[in-house]
Amino acid sequence: MNEYINLSNENIDEEHICCAIGDPKHQCGVENKKEWIKNKLKDGHVFRKLNARGKSFIEYEPVETAWIPINGKNYEYIYCLWVAGSFKGKGIGKELLEYAINDSKEKGMSGICTLVSKKKKPFIGEKKFFEHYGFKVVDSIDDYELMALQFDDKETPKFNDNARNMKIESKEFTIYYSLECPFVEHQVKELSEYAKNNNIVINFIKVDTLKKAKSVPCIFNNWANFYKGEFISNTILNVNSLEKLIK
């Protein structure tokens, strides 16, 4: 039987958070992610993971306080559900999602929702997996879709109007990012150094408050790339992927 742990103020300093385990270059990002979780626990943030050394976890909280440009009432929002490597195919994803669904019902929520995409994209949920559990598309922006599992007939969550812009005024390469993902901090530092050494302009816009997260001009999931004023992807970039985009 699989054993799970929910992070709390009492155990978070000793427990790993699944991502970037043992990778020295991302440890600062891991510590910042832990601080972010500590600050969000008071909002009802849940981080539940397999009690093992690996990437198997689900992370969610009420949509009202979730750092995403979505509005709604009495819904939980799933930031991430990830089962990787040797842990796949063992029913862990099923158990994690069922826990979140049952937890939401016990809390008297109206439903639970998450972000997916029509075409597979990095750091975005698998649409077919959620469809299997009864989730349905309730809103969309281009290739991105908001799926929800409703428990009652109340209003479903929607993308904020500002998220539908998918455009900005600046024509320079611009990256919106937040430190809720432990991989982000190192990549921002790496790209900043690369841009400085190669006389390339990259505008970094840090999303570090709930207000900023709700007000971003695009679909947002930790990272968003803009070029010539247009949204181009949600892919977290390194130097190699940036060079390919520039070319």
Side-chain angles (χ1 to χ4, degrees):
M1 185 174 179
N2 294 315
E3 180 183 349
Y4 298 92
I5 296 173
N6 284 23
L7 294 185
S8 66
N9 284 316
E10 288 69 37
N11 65 17
I12 191 170
D13 289 331
E14 288 72 40
E15 294 291 340
H16 69 76
I17 56 169
C18 298
C19 299
I21 300 174
D23 188 338
K25 67 177 179 292
H26 289 300
Q27 290 316 296
C28 187
V30 168
E31 292 307 312
N32 282 330
K33 169 69 174 184
K34 284 189 173 184
E35 290 302 314
W36 186 85
I37 292 174
K38 289 178 184 179
N39 290 327
K40 297 294 284 170
L41 288 173
K42 67 181 184 302
D43 295 326
H45 191 88
V46 176
F47 189 108
R48 183 173 178 82
K49 70 188 184 77
L50 185 70
N51 188 17
R53 190 171 176 81
K55 300 181 182 72
S56 298
F57 70 98
I58 190 168
E59 187 173 13
Y60 61 93
E61 74 171 88
V63 70
E64 291 92 336
T65 57
W67 281 25
I68 36 82
I70 294 170
N71 67 77
K73 293 182 179 179
N74 209 39
Y75 269 75
E76 295 280 5
Y77 175 79
I78 300 172
Y79 286 98
C80 190
L81 170 56
W82 194 8
V83 178
S86 62
F87 297 102
K88 287 184 176 181
K90 297 182 179 180
I92 296 169
K94 172 180 180 291
E95 292 175 352
L96 288 170
L97 181 58
E98 288 180 347
Y99 175 89
I101 292 171
N102 292 331
D103 184 39
S104 300
K105 289 180 177 179
E106 290 175 3
K107 291 173 179 174
M109 307 300 281
S110 298
I112 186 167
C113 61
T114 194
L115 178 67
V116 300
S117 56
K118 297 174 185 176
K119 299 178 182 179
K120 186 173 175 59
K121 297 182 186 296
F123 300 100
I124 299 291
E126 292 280 354
K127 182 176 180 179
K128 288 184 178 180
F129 178 79
F130 289 101
E131 283 180 329
H132 180 74
Y133 290 91
F135 283 69
K136 296 181 179 180
V137 175
V138 294
D139 201 1
S140 64
I141 300 176
D142 297 338
D143 284 338
Y144 298 90
E145 297 177 319
L146 179 62
M147 297 192 80
L149 178 63
Q150 295 178 253
F151 306 149
D152 58 35
D153 295 328
K154 293 182 180 179
E155 186 177 345
T156 56
K158 300 290 182 184
F159 290 114
N160 290 344
D161 288 341
N162 48 274
R164 301 181 192 281
N165 291 333
M166 304 294 272
K167 297 177 184 294
I168 58 174
E169 291 185 5
S170 174
K171 302 301 180 183
E172 296 174 340
F173 202 101
T174 301
I175 297 173
Y176 286 77
Y177 73 96
S178 76
L179 298 182
E180 64 184 275
C181 173
F183 295 115
V184 165
E185 184 166 355
H186 175 77
Q187 299 314 133
V188 169
K189 187 178 298 183
E190 180 182 274
L191 293 178
S192 297
E193 293 175 356
Y194 175 82
K196 181 179 179 180
N197 293 335
N198 291 273
N199 295 317
I200 297 171
V201 176
I202 302 179
N203 292 328
F204 291 96
I205 300 177
K206 187 176 183 179
V207 178
D208 54 5
T209 66
L210 175 62
K211 182 178 180 180
K212 289 180 182 179
K214 293 292 188 186
S215 302
V216 290
C218 62
I219 184 60
F220 186 68
N221 187 51
N222 301 320
W223 189 286
N225 301 303
F226 284 85
Y227 186 53
K228 295 183 179 179
E230 302 282 341
F231 175 87
I232 54 176
S233 77
N234 70 290
T235 303
I236 298 175
L237 301 176
N238 56 27
V239 169
N240 290 335
S241 54
L242 174 64
E243 288 178 336
K244 289 180 182 179
L245 280 177
I246 292 173
K247 290 179 181 179

